[in-house]
Amino acid sequence: EVQLVESGGGLVQAGGSLRLSCAASGFTFDDYGIGWFRQAPGKEREGVACISSSEGIEYYADSVKGRFTIYSDNAKNTVYLQMNSLKPEDTAVYYCAAEPVHLLNHYSDHANFDYWGQGTQVTVSS
């Protein structure tokens, strides 16, 4: 059974940093792409970043380029999202998602991902 468990969310002031973790189990980690998405109240789910080390994929939405970094620790089956220079508009529930990399065509499209974690809240105060 595929399981994704996010952690690391919280409340931070604007300009601060947080690191989110996505612990994966139930599948061969190298065979999947892992994405981070976020959803603010009243807004659509937005693709933030995506990684597949085996395929050399590293994607970022324009809104987070230069501030967020996605990376993986394959020994721990964990993907991280390091978020720096946080802004109030980054406030959202953040989800990680997984999809077999050979089926992954649109890194920012939530409809392209079949497996999801429960989400973790990130709140950035001004």
Side-chain angles (χ1 to χ4, degrees):
E1 179 188 4
V2 173
Q3 283 197 326
L4 301 168
V5 180
E6 302 98 332
S7 60
L11 173 64
V12 65
Q13 287 190 331
S17 298
L18 282 174
R19 188 182 76 163
L20 305 183
S21 300
C22 173
S25 61
F27 61 93
T28 302
F29 195 69
D30 284 350
D31 292 343
Y32 279 66
I34 306 293
W36 281 100
F37 292 78
R38 66 186 181 187
Q39 190 164 20
K43 294 190 176 181
E44 292 207 1
R45 194 163 294 193
E46 173 192 16
V48 174
C50 182
I51 190 169
S52 167
S53 297
S54 63
E55 295 296 317
I57 295 169
E58 188 170 333
Y59 161 84
Y60 297 97
D62 287 343
S63 57
V64 306
K65 276 181 184 174
R67 300 189 298 123
F68 291 11
T69 302
I70 189 171
Y71 62 100
S72 64
D73 183 338
N74 288 11
K76 296 182 178 180
N77 283 5
T78 299
V79 171
Y80 302 94
L81 186 69
Q82 178 67 44
M83 306 187 296
N84 299 329
S85 302
L86 282 161
K87 305 175 182 180
E89 51 263 45
D90 294 319
T91 295
V93 178
Y94 283 70
Y95 301 88
C96 67
E99 182 69 11
V101 69
H102 69 281
L103 298 176
L104 195 57
N105 297 313
H106 303 288
Y107 309 140
S108 64
D109 185 354
H110 62 84
N112 202 188
F113 290 79
D114 286 327
Y115 304 101
W116 291 84
Q118 81 288 350
T120 185
Q121 176 71 46
V122 171
T123 304
V124 184
S125 63
S126 56

